Amino acid sequence: MLWLALHFPLLPLEALPLRQSPSAVVSRGRVLACDRQAAEAGVKSGQKLSTALGLQPGLAVFEREAVRENGALESLACWAGRFTPTLSLAPPNTLLLEIGGCLRLFGGVEPIVEAVLAGCAEQCYSPTWAVAPTALGGRWLAQAGAGAIYREPAAMQAVLAGLPCAVPGWPAEAQSRLASFGLKHLGDLQALPAAGLRRRIGSEPVDDLLRARGELPDPQQPFVFPESFAIEIELPARVEHAEALAFAGQRLFAALAGWLHGRQLLVRACTLQLKHDDGSLTALVLRFAEPAADEGRFLRLLREHLARLHLAAPVEVLRLLADEVENKPGASAHLFDAAPVGEGALACLERLRARLGEAAVQVLGEKADYRPECASVHRDAAADTAQPKQSPPPAAAMPLRRPLWLLPAPQPLVERAGQPHWHGPLKLLSRAERLESGWWDEGEIAAAGDVRRDYFVARNPQGQWAWVFRDAQGWYLHGLFS
């Protein structure tokens, strides 16, 4: 196994929606986290608030909100589902991703780490990280700011030996005893008899050290992706222009894409709720032409909707709900499948619906009827793409050559010497195709009714190809070939 540990030392600050610089988060009168400007003035974690204010008089102070931190960590876990389905939370500020089984998918460890760190930066998170064969070893190295990849246990153990004995989470009494013994690094503990060390500092730190080194099993509790997706984010300031919501919505859609990958689902429709400062609510429904799980596609469609949206009041909170989801099909990809170029026809269709309205975009659908004027119907684009696609009929059941363009109504043709004329005499190029249908309508379809026709492909002297038929009344032009 290979674990990518992400430690978020500034999570108490980065999880807050309202931030100004310099700023810090405090708990019980001591600093938990501060931004770069405050750190440059000498403010640091563990410092008394009075000391921090003395170093930086203009420091903006916020109380710690553990609920927001938990929500941010879970949102990050949902987002990380795009990289691996096996991940664990290590509260209050660490995320563990098992990437050993995903190396071939991404092309190695380095591309995964690069993509993860880039995604964190896009969401305005600043983690420290490490890759190690054990979860606890990776966690300690990430907390120490290692920022390196250790594939082999021996390399990881050598670096762990140089870490200080002040391990976060160990009892304060155990740490004070280790300091009184003159032990400064974890490597010093390894040289001592384990039995005597357990009597002096307890079994928990010794077992932790063995688990970090890989000498004891360390099973992790897997993160369970929620059954339904609903994530809310409070904006750092009131937003008065709809297009400015795209940046804030990026974090929500990143979490949605990861959640879909983690649960092997696709989304057909989702709702972005905009909570205004006057208490009102605007629901922005995003419906996709086909089930999707691509963050980039989500954001492109969101921008199309926001470009047409006029805000009745400033927005303070965004909430994203996955309304319609379905299981991802388990089809295998092609061996030499190339990456798709562009958005594709269905993605273009959903963007057209976003610009022009749901009812403005329609598609043609088939209808089981032999009469050409009754064989197609107009359908709503969203309803049509929601239907499962059926395989085409076998070649033997396909009709003869048909034109794509039909006249609104068959046009009578002049017959001279038994030959139809349309811009000159028509030359029949095909054998007759007999259509005899519609007797069951009993006159319900006035445009067609009961028909008995012989259809031909014909061409006039100008080289135009036409689709003509003959019935008891004479010759008619019904369609044109392109």
Side-chain angles (χ1 to χ4, degrees), residues 47 67 103 121 154 210-211 236 262 288 306-307 325 335 338 340 375 390 394 401 407 415 422 424 429 441 465 473 475:
Q47 204 170 57
V67 175
L103 299 183
L210 294 176
R211 281 191 287 266
F288 303 96
L306 293 178
V325 296
L335 178 61
Q390 298 179 355
R401 186 177 180 185
L407 275 64
E415 181 180 354
W422 180 63
L429 303 176
D441 285 334
W465 290 60
Q473 283 73 38
W475 287 94

Side-chain angles (χ1 to χ4, degrees), residues 159-184:
V159 180
L160 286 176
L163 296 183
C165 291
V167 176
W170 280 10
E173 181 180 0
Q175 296 188 25
S176 63
R177 287 189 177 184
L178 291 174
S180 66
F181 298 157
L183 303 176
K184 298 181 179 180

Side-chain angles (χ1 to χ4, degrees), residues 418-430:
Q419 187 176 16
H421 280 239
W422 180 63
H423 300 297
L426 288 173
K427 181 179 180 180
L428 304 183
L429 303 176
S430 68

Side-chain angles (χ1 to χ4, degrees), residues 197-238:
L197 195 59
R198 289 179 187 274
R199 288 195 301 268
R200 288 169 174 79
I201 66 172
S203 295
E204 181 180 353
V206 179
D207 289 340
D208 280 348
L209 181 58
L210 294 176
R211 281 191 287 266
R213 289 174 52 85
E215 298 174 6
L216 278 182
D218 187 22
Q220 299 295 312
Q221 182 176 359
F223 172 73
V224 179
F225 291 89
E227 290 290 334
S228 58
F229 183 88
I231 289 184
E232 182 175 287
I233 182 174
E234 188 173 346
L235 302 178
R238 297 189 309 167

Side-chain angles (χ1 to χ4, degrees), residues 401 413-432 455-469 475-477 479 481:
R401 186 177 180 185
L413 297 178
V414 176
E415 181 180 354
R416 295 173 183 171
Q419 187 176 16
H421 280 239
W422 180 63
H423 300 297
L426 288 173
K427 181 179 180 180
L428 304 183
L429 303 176
S430 68
R431 57 183 176 85
Y455 277 88
F456 300 87
V457 177
R459 185 177 61 193
N460 63 13
Q462 285 76 30
Q464 296 172 300
W465 290 60
W467 201 42
V468 299
F469 70 84
W475 287 94
Y476 292 85
L477 173 66
F481 293 95

Side-chain angles (χ1 to χ4, degrees), residues 387-454:
Q387 300 296 325
K389 297 297 183 291
Q390 298 179 355
S391 57
M398 294 292 290
L400 296 180
R401 186 177 180 185
R402 299 283 181 92
L404 295 177
W405 181 267
L406 290 181
L407 275 64
Q411 174 185 337
L413 297 178
V414 176
E415 181 180 354
R416 295 173 183 171
Q419 187 176 16
H421 280 239
W422 180 63
H423 300 297
L426 288 173
K427 181 179 180 180
L428 304 183
L429 303 176
S430 68
R431 57 183 176 85
E433 178 190 2
R434 169 60 62 93
L435 292 183
E436 187 172 355
S437 183
W439 52 268
W440 57 83
D441 285 334
E442 297 181 356
E444 292 182 6
I445 304 179
D450 185 11
V451 299
R452 294 175 177 83
R453 304 168 180 170
D454 289 332

Side-chain angles (χ1 to χ4, degrees), residues 303-349:
R303 292 189 179 98
E304 293 290 349
H305 281 276
L306 293 178
R308 301 173 55 248
L309 180 64
H310 176 72
L311 297 179
V315 179
E316 292 185 332
V317 179
L318 294 181
R319 181 178 176 83
L320 182 62
L321 308 171
D323 300 321
E324 300 179 21
V325 296
E326 58 186 62
N327 293 327
K328 182 183 295 186
S332 299
H334 295 290
L335 178 61
F336 301 105
D337 193 15
V341 179
E343 293 186 330
L346 292 179
C348 180
L349 180 65

